[in-house]
Amino acid sequence: MTRILLLFAVAVIGFDESRIALAQPAPAPVKPTAARATQITLEELWRDYKYIAESVPGFNFSAGSNRYTRIDEASVQELDFASGKPTGTIFDYAALRKANALLGMAEGFDGYAFSDDQQRVLITTEEEPIFRRSSRGKFFVFDRAANSISPVDTAGAQMYATFSPDGKRVAYVRENDLYVLDLASAKTTRVTRDGERNAIINGATDWVYEEEFSIAQGFEWSPDSKSILFLRFDERAVPEFTMEFYRADEMYPEYRTWKYPKVGEANATVSAHVYDLASAKTRRLFTTVDGDTHVPRIYWTPQNKPLIWVTNRHQDSMSLRIESTVGMPLTTLLAESRATYLDVHDDLTFLDDGSFLWTSDASGYTHLYHYAADGKLIAQLTNGNYPVTEFYGYDEKNKQLYFQAAMTSPMRREVYRLPLKGGNPVAISRLPGWNDAVFSADFSGYMLTHSSANTPPTYAIYDKAGKLVR
């Protein structure tokens, strides 16, 4: 055990944030020559995080500019790409809290998200984890122009607060119901009214979807901000499971009970709905049958048409179903089946012309495909005995796709770009080890994270051609 911990410490100790020039060769591994005089303790590792690698917390690209934002202690700072020098403060949370003491804001904040026009910011505070991917907390909207802040809801903790694309509203879930806040009027609309713990869930997912399909938020805004597509879970028929939770300062455990379907037991009945803000009416698109069908993903097309991914319980068949005409039955856009198993991907991307990009492992490896608006295959874009491991997105202006792949080795990840018309992928980052990227909205640059077995993560910014900026 001591040897394992010593090797772990050698891999991470001494990392300096200035080491971000990823264009340089990876440093040679450090060879320990003698044991440390002081033992490494579990408290140092997991309580004090003494040997944790440096990171760039709260990193976000600023839309339409050569700047990015990051969390700096109790504020969010904007910095210049090339120099790394601050260009301004987006918000100072400590100052906002002091000036708005009556709002009851927590001492610190956990995250932030911009509206599409960058004029408003959703600030997450008091975030409390629920399961693996779900959480609840308190959200505040900061208006940059007015330098004002207001709570999303004061009646209780919220989940998945999300700006509408036009930045004028916020949708969120509270106590299993879906709500919409109009920021101009401060009016809150309750979209659903039947939410109940261990019975009905609106706008969020149940434990099965969160654990098995990696999805916790169960609603999506339409591109025109006029509608919300959401899932409803009826889990009343699902058996319950109780667990004991022990706390350090208490003599007796707390008992918590959840809806938990074991193998062969009933799943929740899931239905997909669209709420229209103008009419305040909800229409149902689809309902699963006998718990043997799942809806692991929901989408909107650029033309504001709702679309759902439907799979069976065995997950050996799936279909993309779209509402082409409002109020009419869903039609199948694409269908696949396997003799074994179909994985759930997040890589459905619609282009302005109605065509779409899709990842599939039909060839035996996960690859990118281009389909026409009617679901007919245009081309398989990547091909070979390797998997595409992550799709970063499509640059509509320059007709380029960006993705991560294990092209050279299963133990490595490289970042590539590829023209939509086809051709050979071009590696824009293939340093030995693991490469991962976060692209700006217009694909004018990206932040690359690189690590290897002997090197902790390092971070650098590159332009779209793969040239090191900083």
Side-chain angles (χ1 to χ4, degrees), residues 165-208:
D166 62 11
K168 296 179 179 179
R169 298 175 179 86
V170 174
Y172 61 95
V173 174
R174 178 169 63 80
E175 296 179 350
N176 287 11
D177 275 319
L178 182 63
Y179 292 79
V180 175
L181 168 66
D182 183 279
L183 297 175
S185 65
K187 177 185 177 182
T188 298
T189 300
R190 186 173 180 175
V191 176
T192 63
R193 294 183 174 276
D194 58 351
E196 181 182 348
R197 187 180 183 277
N198 284 341
I200 304 294
I201 307 172
N202 294 289
T205 66
D206 69 351
W207 182 90
V208 173

Side-chain angles (χ1 to χ4, degrees), residues 327-347:
M328 297 299 291
L330 303 184
T331 57
T332 299
L333 182 63
L334 176 67
E336 291 188 6
S337 62
R338 299 283 186 278
T340 52
Y341 173 81
L342 273 165
D343 203 357
V344 175
H345 300 286
D346 290 300
D347 302 328

Side-chain angles (χ1 to χ4, degrees), residues 178-468:
L178 182 63
Y179 292 79
V180 175
L181 168 66
D182 183 279
L183 297 175
S185 65
K187 177 185 177 182
T188 298
T189 300
R190 186 173 180 175
V191 176
T192 63
R193 294 183 174 276
D194 58 351
E196 181 182 348
R197 187 180 183 277
N198 284 341
I200 304 294
I201 307 172
N202 294 289
T205 66
D206 69 351
W207 182 90
V208 173
Y209 275 48
E210 180 175 343
E211 182 68 19
E212 304 300 340
F213 295 133
S214 304
I215 177 176
Q217 179 173 321
F219 70 86
E220 295 289 340
W221 281 99
S222 63
D224 62 6
S225 302
K226 295 180 179 179
S227 303
I228 301 175
L229 172 61
F230 70 93
L231 295 176
R232 177 183 183 271
F233 289 75
D234 184 342
E235 53 180 1
R236 288 174 291 187
V238 178
E240 293 183 344
F241 188 87
T242 300
M243 292 181 65
E244 296 177 339
F245 280 78
Y246 290 87
R247 301 185 185 278
D249 300 327
E250 297 181 8
M251 295 179 62
Y252 297 95
E254 174 188 351
Y255 291 89
R256 297 185 188 178
T257 300
W258 293 280
K259 294 290 185 172
Y260 180 84
K262 293 190 176 184
V263 176
E265 295 293 337
N267 279 312
T269 298
V270 183
S271 50
H273 306 259
V274 172
Y275 173 74
D276 179 76
L277 273 70
S279 65
K281 293 183 178 180
T282 300
R283 66 181 186 275
R284 183 180 63 83
L285 299 180
F286 177 84
T287 303
T288 61
V289 180
D290 300 329
D292 193 43
T293 313
H294 297 298
V295 186
R297 295 292 184 270
I298 56 178
Y299 304 93
W300 286 95
T301 72
Q303 294 75 33
N304 298 292
K305 298 182 184 298
L307 180 147
I308 61 174
W309 175 328
V310 179
T311 183
N312 62 345
R313 185 165 184 166
H314 290 292
Q315 287 183 245
D316 56 11
S317 66
M318 61 74 58
S319 60
L320 296 179
R321 305 185 190 184
I322 188 170
E323 185 189 51
S324 298
T325 304
V326 175
M328 297 299 291
L330 303 184
T331 57
T332 299
L333 182 63
L334 176 67
E336 291 188 6
S337 62
R338 299 283 186 278
T340 52
Y341 173 81
L342 273 165
D343 203 357
V344 175
H345 300 286
D346 290 300
D347 302 328
L348 176 61
T349 302
F350 284 90
L351 311 187
D352 288 345
D353 62 1
S355 66
F356 60 93
L357 304 172
W358 173 255
T359 54
S360 171
D361 56 2
S363 68
Y365 293 88
T366 304
H367 282 294
L368 289 165
Y369 296 80
H370 186 198
Y371 285 87
D374 60 2
K376 293 181 179 179
L377 179 64
I378 296 175
Q380 180 176 341
L381 300 174
T382 59
N383 195 8
N385 295 333
Y386 67 90
V388 171
T389 48
E390 188 169 353
F391 179 58
Y392 295 120
Y394 175 63
D395 179 359
E396 187 85 43
K397 180 180 178 180
N398 297 297
K399 311 298 181 186
Q400 297 280 336
L401 297 85
Y402 292 88
F403 62 93
Q404 181 198 68
M407 195 175 297
T408 58
S409 166
M411 296 182 290
R412 294 176 57 169
R413 297 291 185 272
E414 302 95 16
V415 179
Y416 295 89
R417 72 168 181 266
L418 176 70
L420 180 63
K421 63 182 180 182
N424 294 320
V426 175
I428 61 174
S429 183
R430 57 189 312 169
L431 292 170
W434 200 281
N435 300 274
D436 195 10
V438 176
F439 283 84
S440 61
D442 61 359
F443 293 91
S444 60
Y446 62 96
M447 183 183 77
L448 183 79
T449 304
H450 170 258
S451 63
S452 69
N454 300 304
T455 308
T458 57
Y459 305 84
I461 293 176
Y462 290 80
D463 64 19
K464 63 181 179 182
K467 181 181 178 182
L468 178 67

